[in-house]
Amino acid sequence: MGIRKKIALGFVCIGMLMLLSVLISLFQFSSLSRQTRTILSAGTLNVDLSRAMSDALQEQNAAILQRVVSGKPYYSEHYEQARARFDAAMNEATATVRDLTQVEALLAARDRFVYAVDGRLFSPHVEENSRWYGGPYNAVYGDLLKAIGQYASSNETLFRQRAAALERRAHNSATPALLMMAVMVTIIGMFFFLLDLYYIKPVVAMRRALEGYLRYKIAFDVKMDGRDEVYQLKESIGDLIATGKSKKET
Amino acid sequence: MRFNLILKYIGIVLLLDAIFMLLSACVSMMYYGDSALYPLLFSAGLTAVMGAFPMIFVRERSEINTRESYVIVVGAWLLSCVVGMFPFLLWGGEFSPVNSWFESVSGFTTTGATTIVDVEALPAGLLFWRSSTHWLGGVGVVMFTLLIMPSLGRYKSSLSKTELSPMARDNFRYKAQTIATILIVVYVGMTLTETLLLRVAGMSWFDSVNTAMSTVATGGFSTKNNSIAFWNNAWIESVVMMFMVLSGIHFGLIFGTISGKSKNIFTSEVSRYYLLCIAVVAVVIALSLWGNHTYDSLWSALRYSSFQVAAYASTSGFATADVNLWTPLAMVMIVFVSIQCACAGSTSGGLKADRVWLAMKTVRAGLLRQRHPNAVIRIKIDNVVQEEPLVGAGMTFIFVYMLLLLLGTIVLTTAGEDLTTAFTATVASVGNVGPGLGKVGSMNNYATLSPFVKTFLPMLMLLGRLEIFGLIQFFMLRWWR
């Protein structure tokens, strides 16, 4: 193999490592950023749904309060709309959650609330309705509100777990690139050493030997390991000197 | 010192490591591309590039002198340990940089100590790579390359001087290449035979191969958290025990026994001493455990004591019982066999039975000299006179070994470990045994130790594997001139 090929191969090795390092870093970091986005969007969705459920519940509560005070036997349209909004948010939370235990308490509290409200036959007496409102209703309402709060905070624990997973992922993303950099530094070191040994040192030695021959007629004797172009150059110089000598003699 | 040649030969060793990483990746693929596939392939690529790079430039074939051979051997060990970390580091999980370094050094030095709490959670490819580090380390990365490096020609002997224990060389006067061939034939043969026997005894193919690789290398990495105790099978224990004991004997003697030569396991003083030592210690421990009602019957006590004694004496370090629960006498005996270990010329580490036998003969000769001051008393092993320099070197080694144990214990106690853990972890690391007592007992691991200790112990493992002086000389600045 000639010098050109050897050096080209050396550079190709380094180049390939650099390219691979960049590609792996890009792949790993894009995957990391995707994962981060997923976690953040999951967190945002959780907060939005909790707020929607909480708002819808407040509106339902206001409608029920109106009915308790007025003693009307039917719910207002306002209540039905609020309930539909609550159910929609609730369904979305159930559909998007990864771990169903997160919404189990919420579903149970919602069922108790619906059972208590729908099963109530309101009397025309406000006092009787108020007793219901302040007693059984208040308990299920409080439970549901608490369950919404728990659902909102449940993501905090999940967030912590996901953040730890993200940290591990970040470590795993950086490791291949770091390893590749370390290998590349080692190869660059070897490359420099071998170039110096096989090409720079022999050329310097040849120059010195040639100078020695031209100035002081010291024999041109350079020792070399390889059998490549530099060696052939040395041989050619040796031949040239020998030819010059023989011409002088004749 | 010709670093170009050194780089070339270390590169060949790295290529061999890369081949085994690829083999592990194949195992990973057999297990439907488990999570170790990408780390193993990536590591194989990096290691192969590093190993092949010097070969682009270095073409010449020339003589290697002793110094260069030392640098090649030590450099190959160190670099193999470094690249051996790559699959662990890339896989992540319990493998922090410190744990990866510990695991890799423990693998290549055939120590078998681990920092991994849940070994069974590791993917098949990574488990195979762990066992491969043992197998590669056991035969000696350099010994391995001697057979596949035809370019070395007649200069092979300079490399084997550093790889084979000096005692083994002098005890067994074969040519270097013959030693290498014998080593490989016995090594591969034993691995295949044990794999088959373990399969017949009831292990799966995967566990059989891994356990055989670990046993023959006198390593100790297992595919199960409870090591061999997981199977609770007397046949499996018997097979593993037999191969642990055999792997602790000079491979040339095993070859001699199989090929019907006069010099064999039964005629060699050292191997007879080693086998007798295991038998006596196992019986004493069994009696002690039976007397103390640790086990219900004498048979059970003998079953567990003989396995553990074989595991510690051969430096394999497998486990079927928790030695921490044994009697103080049993523990002391276990520490004794952990320090003495097995025979030179095997893959085991430690002080070696040869040196202990030589020391006993030297003491006897010393006593005789006192009684007969004018007598010419020569120390002979297997009817071969042991020259004074060899005896001196043996005694110096024992002294330095003991000094190292003391130093290690001091460092570990300074780092906050209790005396039992500190002393036995040092003994287990320098001797490449694996388990010790206390926190690092046979049923425990090194996970609970501090990162400092986990970084320090691999150095002791390397010192022990390279017969102490090999590594010390490598780092002596004057030596590099």
Side-chain angles (χ1 to χ4, degrees):
Chain A
M1 205 190 289
I3 299 176
R4 192 187 289 262
K5 269 191 182 172
K6 281 182 183 176
I7 293 178
L9 208 59
F11 276 115
V12 164
C13 277
I14 294 170
M16 288 281 281
L17 278 175
M18 279 174 85
L19 188 72
L20 209 63
S21 171
V22 170
L23 284 177
I24 286 175
S25 298
L26 279 177
F27 169 74
Q28 293 284 358
F29 283 108
S30 72
S31 148
L32 184 71
S33 108
R34 246 194 336 269
Q35 205 175 355
T36 313
R37 258 201 311 276
T38 313
I39 292 171
L40 285 176
S41 62
T44 317
L45 186 71
N46 181 275
V47 171
D48 289 347
L49 288 175
S50 304
R51 192 183 298 148
M53 279 190 277
S54 184
D55 290 349
L57 185 66
Q58 295 298 337
E59 284 175 33
Q60 284 179 78
N61 183 46
I64 289 167
L65 191 61
Q66 259 183 354
R67 192 175 165 202
V68 165
V69 175
S70 66
K72 285 176 186 167
Y74 55 86
Y75 290 115
S76 65
E77 197 183 320
H78 189 74
Y79 169 81
E80 296 296 343
Q81 281 170 355
R83 187 165 162 178
R85 272 206 306 281
F86 182 88
D87 285 346
M90 179 87 215
N91 291 339
E92 198 179 339
T94 315
T96 51
V97 80
R98 275 190 187 175
D99 182 10
L100 272 176
T101 52
Q102 251 182 290
V103 287
E104 265 173 10
L106 189 61
L107 283 167
R110 195 272 311 258
D111 287 348
R112 281 199 301 277
F113 179 82
V114 169
Y115 179 77
V117 173
D118 289 1
R120 174 70 192 166
L121 291 169
F122 285 96
S123 90
H125 303 291
V126 177
E127 283 163 10
E128 201 179 324
N129 292 338
S130 300
R131 267 204 299 282
W132 170 80
Y133 184 83
Y137 170 79
N138 207 25
V140 290
Y141 171 74
D143 282 351
L144 187 54
L145 211 58
K146 199 173 153 191
I148 293 171
Q150 275 172 354
Y151 166 72
S153 62
S154 70
N155 234 30
E156 268 177 41
T157 326
L158 210 65
F159 250 141
R160 250 176 259 136
Q161 288 168 358
R162 281 175 175 174
L166 213 59
E167 199 182 323
R168 274 200 301 277
R169 175 89 195 186
H171 164 80
N172 290 349
S173 305
T175 310
L178 284 174
L179 282 183
M180 208 165 267
M181 289 296 283
V183 170
M184 210 157 62
V185 167
T186 313
I187 283 181
I188 288 171
M190 278 199 276
F191 196 34
F192 178 77
F193 167 73
L194 293 168
L195 281 181
D196 184 58
L197 187 76
Y198 285 101
Y199 307 117
I200 298 169
K201 274 185 184 160
V203 170
V204 171
M206 269 195 286
R207 189 197 61 78
R208 276 194 197 139
L210 201 58
E211 204 176 80
Y213 171 74
L214 292 172
R215 279 193 192 170
Y216 314 108
K217 297 291 176 207
I218 299 169
F220 180 79
D221 183 26
V222 181
K223 280 178 184 160
M224 226 178 267
D225 289 328
R227 290 285 180 275
D228 48 28
E229 287 93 330
V230 183
Y231 178 79
Q232 285 162 9
L233 178 67
K234 184 204 91 173
E235 292 290 295
S236 302
I237 294 171
D239 288 348
L240 191 72
I241 290 169
T243 315
K245 268 184 189 173
S246 64
K247 268 186 185 171
K248 269 186 191 172
E249 279 165 14
T250 52
Chain B
M1 196 83 76
R2 289 163 305 167
F3 288 100
N4 49 340
L5 281 177
I6 291 168
L7 284 178
K8 183 185 171 182
Y9 291 122
I10 291 179
I12 293 172
V13 177
L14 292 186
L15 283 178
L16 197 73
D17 289 338
I19 290 170
F20 272 82
M21 283 177 190
L22 278 178
L23 273 177
S24 307
C26 290
V27 172
S28 224
M29 272 194 270
M30 278 162 62
Y31 283 81
Y32 311 105
D34 63 31
S35 53
L37 180 64
Y38 155 72
L40 284 165
L41 283 176
F42 187 72
S43 308
L46 283 186
T47 310
V49 169
M50 248 195 334
F53 192 81
M55 283 173 217
I56 299 172
F57 296 90
V58 191
R59 297 268 161 182
E60 59 262 37
R61 300 170 176 187
S62 46
E63 194 174 336
I64 294 172
N65 60 39
T66 312
R67 282 185 189 189
E68 285 163 351
S69 69
Y70 259 103
V71 177
I72 291 173
V73 171
V74 180
W77 275 105
L78 289 176
L79 269 175
S80 289
C81 290
V82 170
V83 298
M85 288 168 70
F86 290 177
F88 301 134
L89 265 178
L90 289 166
W91 190 77
E94 282 188 67
F95 290 111
S96 62
V98 172
N99 284 359
S100 302
W101 170 243
F102 188 96
E103 206 74 4
S104 181
V105 176
S106 173
F108 277 107
T109 55
T110 74
T111 306
T114 185
T115 51
I116 303 306
V117 178
D118 191 4
V119 172
E120 286 163 46
L122 299 181
L126 214 58
L127 285 173
F128 188 80
W129 171 242
R130 279 172 94 231
S131 306
S132 300
T133 58
H134 268 344
W135 207 73
L136 281 169
V139 74
V141 183
V142 176
M143 280 303 294
F144 221 113
T145 45
L146 275 174
L147 287 184
I148 57 161
M149 283 199 301
S151 60
L152 266 174
R154 66 192 175 90
Y155 307 111
K156 285 172 183 172
S157 55
S158 353
L159 280 180
S160 63
K161 269 180 197 167
T162 45
E163 184 57 28
L164 284 176
S165 158
M167 296 289 288
R169 253 189 317 116
D170 291 317
N171 278 359
F172 223 81
R173 295 166 194 280
Y174 277 130
K175 280 181 187 169
Q177 192 172 353
T178 318
I179 293 177
T181 315
I182 290 170
L183 193 71
I184 296 297
V185 168
V186 174
Y187 200 70
V188 175
M190 277 170 63
T191 310
L192 292 176
T193 315
E194 194 191 344
T195 305
L196 286 174
L197 288 175
L198 286 175
R199 180 75 188 97
V200 171
M203 263 193 193
S204 68
W205 276 115
F206 180 74
D207 291 329
S208 305
V209 172
N210 281 284
T211 310
M213 285 167 93
S214 283
T215 313
V216 177
T218 61
F221 279 157
S222 176
T223 50
K224 303 292 173 198
N225 291 333
N226 287 335
S227 193
I228 303 298
F230 170 86
W231 285 278
N232 192 23
N233 179 327
W235 287 111
I236 289 176
E237 285 168 29
S238 308
V239 172
V240 174
M241 193 169 74
M242 186 175 81
F243 279 91
M244 283 194 300
V245 174
L246 272 179
S247 306
I249 297 173
H250 193 301
F251 280 18
L253 288 175
I254 298 173
F255 184 77
T257 312
I258 297 165
S259 55
K261 287 196 165 57
S262 59
K263 187 156 183 173
N264 57 43
I265 294 172
F266 307 106
T267 56
S268 161
E269 281 179 38
V270 176
S271 62
R272 278 191 308 199
Y273 163 70
Y274 163 68
L275 293 173
L276 187 74
C277 204
I278 288 181
V280 169
V281 172
V283 170
V284 169
I285 291 178
L287 287 172
S288 161
L289 295 176
W290 184 52
N292 194 50
H293 305 293
T294 310
Y295 295 106
D296 298 336
S297 64
L298 182 62
W299 160 244
S300 291
L302 202 59
R303 174 184 164 183
Y304 293 111
S305 72
S306 52
F307 187 92
Q308 284 313 135
V309 170
Y312 278 85
S314 67
T315 73
S316 300
F318 284 118
T320 53
D322 191 351
V323 179
N324 276 331
L325 306 174
W326 286 5
T327 59
L329 173 68
M331 290 194 203
V332 170
M333 296 300 248
I334 284 290
V335 171
F336 163 68
V337 292
S338 297
I339 294 174
Q340 177 186 272
C341 301
C343 306
S346 70
T347 52
S348 67
L351 206 52
K352 304 257 163 56
D354 306 56
R355 288 196 184 94
V356 177
W357 187 240
L358 183 69
M360 284 182 193
K361 290 220 164 190
T362 310
V363 170
R364 185 172 163 268
L367 290 172
L368 278 172
R369 262 188 215 113
Q370 277 188 345
R371 220 190 302 162
H372 310 287
N374 297 324
V376 178
I377 299 160
R378 291 182 189 278
I379 300 165
K380 285 183 182 177
I381 291 180
D382 291 335
N383 289 325
V384 176
V385 176
Q386 303 295 304
E387 303 294 340
E388 274 302 316
L390 184 78
V391 176
M395 297 307 112
T396 312
F397 187 89
I398 293 175
F399 176 73
V400 175
Y401 196 90
M402 294 302 170
L403 212 61
L404 198 62
L405 293 188
L406 183 71
L407 184 79
T409 310
I410 291 170
V411 172
L412 261 67
T413 43
T414 311
E417 300 303 333
D418 62 272
L419 188 60
T420 310
T421 307
F423 179 64
T424 57
T426 307
V427 169
S429 299
V430 181
N432 303 132
V433 180
L437 295 170
K439 274 198 232 173
V440 293
S442 55
M443 283 295 174
N444 303 60
N445 56 46
Y446 287 67
T448 51
L449 303 181
S450 67
F452 167 73
V453 174
K454 282 195 260 188
T455 318
F456 176 72
L457 288 178
M459 289 187 231
L460 295 183
M461 293 175 198
L462 280 165
L463 268 169
R465 183 71 225 188
L466 294 162
E467 298 264 322
I468 301 173
F469 296 115
L471 195 65
I472 292 173
Q473 278 184 327
F474 181 79
F475 288 109
M476 277 171 77
L477 284 174
R478 228 183 102 216
W479 203 70
W480 287 80
R481 282 177 203 158

